[in-house]
Amino acid sequence: MTDALEGGCACGRLRYRLASKPMFVHCCHCRDCQRQTGSAFVINALIETDRVEILSGETEAVQVPTDSGRPHVICRCAACHVAAWSHYGGVQRLSFVRVGALDEPSALPPDVHIYTRSKLPWVALPADVPAVEAYYDSKTLWPAESLARRKEIFG
Ligand SMILES: [Zn+2]
Ligand SMILES: [Zn+2]
C-alpha cells in the first residue's frame, strides 16, 4: 500500500513518500483551489507533516493570498515549482498533499467533496461520497482513528 503513496514533481528532483495512509482526503471545489490549479478542483490528502518523507530534492515555500485571508503556504519543487503540498492556517504539522502528484493518484479517492457551492456545473459527484456546500466538522465524518491522529496535532 505505502509503495503506492510516493509522488514527485514534473522535473523529477523532488520525490517523497507518505509513511502511512492519510487521515482523510478532500476534494475541494473552492475558488481558491480552482484558481491555483487552473482546474475544477484539487484533491488533498491530509496527513501529519512528519509522515511526509522527502526522498530527494527540496521544496520552496510560497505564501499565496486566499479569499478568506487565512494563511496558505504551498510547498513547491524548488527547481520546477510544481506544487507538492500545502499548509493552511499556519499549521506546519499538518500537510495537504496534492493527490494528483502521487505516482498512483487513484490510490486515494476523496472521502468528502467540499465547497460544492462553487463546483463547476459539469462536474458530476458520486452519490456515495459525502458532499458539503462549504466546510464541515471533522467529527461528523472522520473515522475514530483519524480523529485520534488529528488530536495529536491540534491537542
Ligand atoms: Zn479549496
Ligand atoms: Zn521539480
Side-chain angles (χ1 to χ4, degrees):
M1 179 67 208
T2 50
D3 284 351
L5 299 180
E6 288 191 14
C9 64
C11 78
R13 288 181 178 85
L14 179 65
R15 293 289 304 167
Y16 45 89
R17 177 193 295 129
L18 306 188
S20 74
K21 289 186 75 170
M23 292 177 275
F24 218 62
V25 179
H26 287 172
C27 184
C28 186
H29 301 261
C30 85
R31 291 290 298 126
D32 278 336
C33 289
Q34 291 169 340
R35 195 177 291 122
Q36 287 157 15
T37 60
S39 189
F41 51 76
V42 74
I43 316 167
N44 283 322
L46 281 63
I47 190 168
E48 298 88 338
T49 298
D50 61 11
R51 296 192 190 194
V52 182
E53 302 170 354
I54 295 180
L55 305 174
S56 67
E58 286 176 20
T59 60
E60 185 179 308
V62 180
Q63 173 104 35
V64 289
T66 59
D67 285 342
S68 66
R70 200 167 169 249
H72 178 198
V73 170
I74 303 178
C75 296
R76 299 177 172 276
C77 168
C80 72
H81 295 170
V82 161
W85 53 81
S86 291
H87 304 298
Y88 285 95
V91 184
Q92 293 289 324
R93 294 176 65 196
L94 177 61
S95 292
F96 287 61
V97 176
R98 300 278 203 277
V99 172
L102 297 179
D103 295 346
E104 292 180 36
S106 63
L108 297 177
D111 294 309
V112 63
H113 289 266
I114 62 174
Y115 289 100
T116 60
R117 65 187 179 200
S118 48
K119 179 182 77 62
L120 296 188
W122 45 263
V123 174
L125 300 183
D128 59 343
V129 178
V132 292
E133 288 262 304
Y135 209 71
Y136 67 100
D137 182 354
S138 53
K139 290 185 194 72
T140 61
L141 292 179
W142 288 31
E145 185 202 345
S146 294
L147 285 171
R149 287 166 61 182
R150 189 182 187 282
K151 200 159 181 262
E152 289 292 312
I153 294 173
F154 289 99

